[in-house]
Amino acid sequence: MSDLQLLEQLEAAVNAESEPVMTPADAYQKTVRGETEFVPLHDFADRVAASMLVPYPPGIPVLMPGERVPSDNNSILCYLSALQEFDQSFPGFEHEIHGVVVDDNGQYTVRAII
């Protein structure tokens, strides 16, 4: 495993500017109506989040419902990918990330608006 630089990646992720596409309430309505899908983390660029993404620690949201992951600045996805790599390398010490579902292969999936 390479040096993941988690603190530097965290700082970049929380300072990344995402693009608000709809209000969190509109994103919630799409979720309730089944207008979302789970996508692998590597396919989440340029998609709109259906739920808040909050890694613990530190518990700071990196993406809110209704915000698009910027395709020109993937610091959010890079940070989440580094956490995924850490979790796969150190079973039993996985991160808790609100809004991320881990599949049977240890891959992160995220709910996105269709």
Side-chain angles (χ1 to χ4, degrees):
M1 180 174 76
S2 63
D3 182 16
L4 297 175
Q5 301 178 346
L6 291 177
L7 291 178
E8 292 83 359
Q9 294 216 36
L10 169 63
E11 182 178 355
V14 298
N15 289 316
E17 300 231 1
S18 55
E19 175 191 356
V21 175
M22 64 183 70
T23 67
D26 289 339
Y28 174 74
Q29 288 301 315
K30 290 194 175 284
T31 301
V32 170
R33 293 187 175 110
E35 299 173 12
T36 63
E37 63 182 346
F38 279 99
V39 296
L41 187 60
H42 58 80
D43 290 335
F44 194 53
D46 210 33
R47 298 291 303 266
V48 178
S51 60
M52 187 182 327
L53 297 178
V54 186
Y56 294 98
I60 299 170
V62 294
L63 202 61
M64 295 295 290
E67 291 182 340
R68 183 183 317 274
V69 177
S71 58
D72 60 339
N73 179 354
N74 284 331
S75 56
I76 293 169
L77 295 181
C78 289
Y79 176 58
L80 293 173
S81 294
L83 293 179
Q84 177 179 265
E85 184 178 338
F86 180 94
D87 291 356
Q88 291 170 340
S89 298
F90 300 102
F93 295 95
E94 294 89 355
H95 291 85
E96 178 68 31
I97 306 172
H98 176 81
V100 170
V101 175
V102 182
D103 70 13
D104 293 337
N105 298 319
Q107 300 294 310
Y108 286 6
T109 60
V110 185
R111 187 184 297 267
I113 304 292
I114 296 175

